[in-house]
Amino acid sequence: MFSALQLSSKGKVAVQVQLQNLRTEMLRNPEGIDAVHPRLSWEILGNQRGTMQTHYHVLVASTPQKLAADEGDLWNSGKVQSNQATYVTYAGAPLKSRREAYWKVKTWTNHGGESAWSEPNYWSMGLLSYGDWEGRWIGMDKASPWDEEDRFARLSARYYRKEFEAPKQIKKAKVYIIGLGLYELFINGQRIGDQVLAPAPTDYTANVKYNTYDVTKQLKSGKNAIGTVLGNGRFYTMRQYKPYKNKTFGYPKMLLNLVIEYTDGTSEKIRTEESWKMTADGPIRTNNEYDGEEYDARKEMPGWNAVGFDDSKWRQAEYVQEPDGEIEAQMNEPMKVMETLKPVSVKLLKPGTYILDMGQNMVGWLKMKVQGKQGDQVTLKFAEVLNEKGELALENIRDAKVTDVYTLKGGGEEVWEPSFVFHGFRYVEVTGYPGKPIVNNFEGRVVYDAMKTVGSFKTSNPIINQVHENSYWSIRGNYKGMPLDCPQRNERQPWLGDRPVQAYGESFVFDNEKLYAKWLDDIQNAQKADGSIPDVAPAFWRYYSDNMTWAGTYLMIADMLHQQYGNVRVIEKHYPFMRKWLQYMESQYMTDGYIMAKDSYGDWCAPPATIEEGRGMNANVKHPSYLISTAYHYHYLQMMQRFARLTGNEGDIKGYQALAEKVRKGFNHEFFIAKDASYGENKLTDNLLALYFRLVPKEQEAALFKTIANIIEVRNKGHLSTGVVGTQWIMRSLTEFGRPDLAYKLATNTTYPSWGYMVENGATTIWELWNGNTAAPTMNSYNHVMMLGDLVSWYYEDLAGIKSDRGQTGFKQIEMKPLMVNGLDFVDASYHSVHGLIKSNWKKEKKRFSWKITVPGNTKAVVYIPARSQNDITESGKAVSSASGVRFLKMEGGRAVFEIGSGDYAFVVK
Ligand code: RAM
């Protein structure tokens, strides 16, 4: 695999300089193989304290040999005085299509001396312009007689093949493929790459993603065969009925270029054209992501993707219309099978029917081993929960069929897993299995975008640990080339409103930068000419309901990428479109009193007051709130001032400032109830927004916070009462304004409504609804991230104390100020930031507090150690005043504050 897909699968490379223990590691790769100014990043490793980069030197060469000879024929940056180690912009020779670039870097530090060159790394450019693509789109613009095209629209997979001669000795060969909706690629019978469900979904009329593979190894001089299988994915719609306003794009189609370079310097291209043969009458009888895949092994065509297969019964491929979208390299990670799970049990439910329990609500599919007669048929049906009778509870799946069917060819052990479907499930109903199934016959294949896990988090509190674990499963389960709301029912849509601050917390667990950068493009591509942004993007479901909370996620995600990764380019790229969206909303809906008089969902899925009240209740009820829309408007106006400054649009700042001031006045005029220091209907969410967004007049702030604390403690008896909107701000507000104990209470509650309540009721993922165990099944997923609000970021930033300084983004300066709350005795966490690995491991013991910290090279941290005075503190066994690289700054609020640089530290307070 190469370029697009290769980029994400790169391992770490590092070189070490003996003397200094200084290493320069290149962890992250340029963000776009079709970016002509890619940006390079590296990490400085080593255990010497206080290491800061003073200079770097980058070499980029056109061949590995040249790089090895220190010849930067594409770019030789020279020795540059700079402490920048992330997003250094390539400034060498123009990068042309298919160009390969090999690079390495060395650094100098404040301790003197220079590192050795890092291990070499590389990227390759894609096909940069439309004209670089040869051949034409091929497909078959109709269904087969056995296909379903009505309500449950499902087609059989299409198989394509082509034999060709490679007459000379091959030096290098690469495939560029766009296979829509989903494809699998084979050369000479071998599967290419370990990606699944490729490419990433987009609005195919706006953009389509291609993947690139190095296939030099699979190709040979002489005769070769190339084969592809096309599934439906999101291209051919899964539903042909209202009310979902589905968008469909037509029948599956593909464009493929195989570029072969020979050792004699010549090259040739194999491309899709009408000489390719195709059939839809293969083993994958039908497939889509909701309803499942049906596979008939009797229909297998041995050797179909190898040389010499008799394809005389296959059809000629047809030239078909292009999907219209811009052709772009896929830079977000491809999906892969990231983990496998063994079921915990297979139990007989009734004769012939077994229930298999994975022990974990997971997303992916089941791989199965089976032996039986030709024509035996095994049916697998997937669900998240069981009913009282122990059967699958399928009501919350709505009309998705979630059924895979395998028909045996007979004659020995058969092993099967589907190609073009994923399910959200813990339980599987197995029927028709020949013989008695046992757990070893099955394997859960956990599928999501192949991004690195960057966080780890353990505490002394088991509820917090389990909620973190459940979040981990929900977050990754819903990464499917776009952030989905849920993976199981007939929905699985990238709803914007589920992610505005959740994505920020997610970034502590997964390196989600590329996925969310892609999503910003999806959102921008979905923006209408008038500026309107939809609630779902890519807009497979076409909801342009014009609200601040869902659409505004566009700004929030860009802000997250900036804060967490230091990525400014996304803000530069999207700023004009954000501005346009705000102008649109203001021109359409802002009143003379500066109220944003438009909302759709209100505080979506706020919990019913009691479990009894919510029993059997349909959560799909909207309570539009102009308080919410106006508060968010104000928040975005603040954000836009920052964005304007970052992107050189200073001219806009005054306007945003002035408008923000008017909105604040309008908001207070309309919603502030002075007599009881509350806002609107005195809901927790109403008050939280006014407080956290700093809409409340300064002199009323303390009173308003009292109101909030009072609602939680008295009215809610120690619980939250927030839905998707309020939960985004609750943990940090309570913490920042001085009641971390209350935040901790919410985090560890096990009674309704709380995250712990889900755990108490057997959840292994996060539910869509606080009352998920008793609400109506109509809209009730057991695998949603939206209710996480700001919880996960609170875990890392406030419990572990791993937080990027707000002024200096991307953890260049780290703020370490863990909360000390009664009941929590230790936190052991780590986060691999763009600058390197950060660790925080603190522990309270009798009369002793210990804290082990790791700070990565080229960064600094300000640490807040709970102590009466610095005289009570030791570091690595020595008085802190004599510890190297530890600088005392001040005493503040019962803490001794120090600045430290890179290195490992062990603080103890007695
Ligand atoms: C439902 C889901 C989704 C939410 C929308 C508004 O479809 O709960 O997560 O964003 O409603």
Side-chain angles (χ1 to χ4, degrees), residues 60 121 234 303 322 339 406 486 573 604 657 666 668 671 714:
V60 187
N121 208 335
R234 301 294 169 117
E322 299 189 7
E339 192 180 328
Y406 180 78
C486 59
K573 183 171 181 183
W604 186 238
Q657 232 164 22
N668 281 306
F671 301 114
V714 181

Side-chain angles (χ1 to χ4, degrees), residues 78-108:
K79 185 175 172 181
V80 180
Q81 187 179 354
S82 166
N83 67 4
Q84 190 185 351
T86 56
Y87 308 109
V88 172
T89 304
Y90 169 86
L95 294 165
K96 301 204 184 82
S97 279
R98 302 199 287 116
R99 156 77 76 214
E100 296 192 338
Y102 298 83
W103 72 289
K104 60 185 180 181
V105 59
K106 74 160 75 163
T107 55
W108 288 258

Side-chain angles (χ1 to χ4, degrees), residues 485 489 491 495 498 550 601 604 768 779 784 786:
D485 66 335
R489 66 184 178 216
E491 180 156 358
W495 286 95
D498 298 24
W550 263 241
Y601 304 103
W604 186 238
E768 177 173 25
M779 192 187 85
H784 242 75
M786 67 186 186

Side-chain angles (χ1 to χ4, degrees), residues 16-31:
Q16 195 154 18
V17 179
Q18 289 305 328
L19 270 180
Q20 277 207 309
N21 273 331
L22 168 71
R23 285 187 286 163
T24 306
E25 177 179 280
M26 298 186 306
L27 186 77
R28 307 180 73 75
N29 277 283
E31 74 277 45

Side-chain angles (χ1 to χ4, degrees), residues 263-507:
T263 46
D264 67 0
T266 58
S267 68
E268 83 182 278
K269 260 189 196 173
I270 308 299
R271 52 198 166 228
T272 38
E273 55 194 4
E274 70 187 342
S275 63
W276 286 55
K277 300 293 280 295
M278 68 93 56
T279 182
D281 196 10
I284 300 181
R285 303 310 295 167
T286 190
N287 72 94
N288 80 23
E289 290 180 8
Y290 291 166
D291 301 319
E293 182 164 316
E294 300 187 2
Y295 188 96
D296 187 343
R298 296 170 303 182
K299 287 284 206 176
E300 281 174 359
M301 308 169 287
W304 72 274
N305 49 20
V307 173
F309 177 78
D310 174 12
D311 60 16
S312 54
K313 296 217 178 72
W314 287 33
R315 312 158 52 97
Q316 244 12 82
E318 290 165 23
Y319 285 151
V320 292
Q321 197 190 320
E322 299 189 7
D324 277 0
E326 288 288 331
I327 296 177
E328 296 170 355
Q330 178 181 333
M331 290 316 303
N332 56 308
E333 292 82 357
M335 280 176 254
K336 292 187 181 176
V337 174
M338 298 294 283
E339 192 180 328
T340 55
L341 286 190
K342 209 190 205 176
V344 294
S345 65
V346 186
K347 287 189 187 138
L348 184 73
L349 179 71
K350 57 185 186 212
T353 303
Y354 292 85
I355 298 288
L356 187 145
D357 179 3
M358 299 308 300
Q360 169 67 49
N361 198 19
M362 58 163 277
V363 185
W365 56 75
L366 206 61
K367 186 175 177 178
M368 169 176 77
K369 274 195 287 199
V370 59
Q371 193 161 354
K373 295 192 306 296
Q374 184 174 82
D376 281 352
Q377 206 166 60
V378 185
T379 301
L380 307 170
K381 218 173 164 80
F382 299 82
E384 296 182 296
V385 284
L386 300 178
N387 64 22
E388 325 72 61
K389 293 190 217 141
E391 307 157 338
L392 298 186
L394 288 162
E395 295 78 8
N396 77 324
I397 307 293
R398 306 202 291 231
D399 81 353
K401 289 186 183 167
V402 293
T403 305
D404 292 350
V405 180
Y406 180 78
T407 307
L408 281 75
K409 57 185 172 224
E413 185 176 86
E414 299 175 39
V415 180
W416 177 75
E417 62 187 312
S419 299
F420 299 124
V421 68
F422 63 87
H423 303 287
F425 65 103
R426 172 170 171 173
Y427 300 98
V428 189
E429 181 195 86
V430 183
T431 49
Y433 193 93
K436 185 176 165 357
I438 56 169
V439 288
N440 284 337
N441 299 143
F442 303 95
E443 192 174 84
R445 309 273 273 170
V446 179
V447 173
Y448 62 99
D449 301 33
M451 44 179 88
K452 281 205 183 76
T453 300
V454 288
S456 68
F457 184 79
K458 275 269 161 319
T459 73
S460 58
N461 185 290
I463 289 294
I464 289 185
N465 294 346
Q466 190 59 49
V467 173
H468 181 270
E469 180 71 11
N470 291 5
S471 311
Y472 172 73
W473 279 95
S474 277
I475 294 166
R476 61 182 186 156
N478 282 302
Y479 284 158
K480 291 287 171 287
M482 53 186 171
L484 294 183
D485 66 335
C486 59
Q488 72 296 80
R489 66 184 178 216
N490 63 355
E491 180 156 358
R492 312 182 188 198
Q493 295 297 320
W495 286 95
L496 273 65
D498 298 24
R499 303 281 176 166
V501 313
Q502 291 80 343
Y504 187 100
E506 292 164 19
S507 76

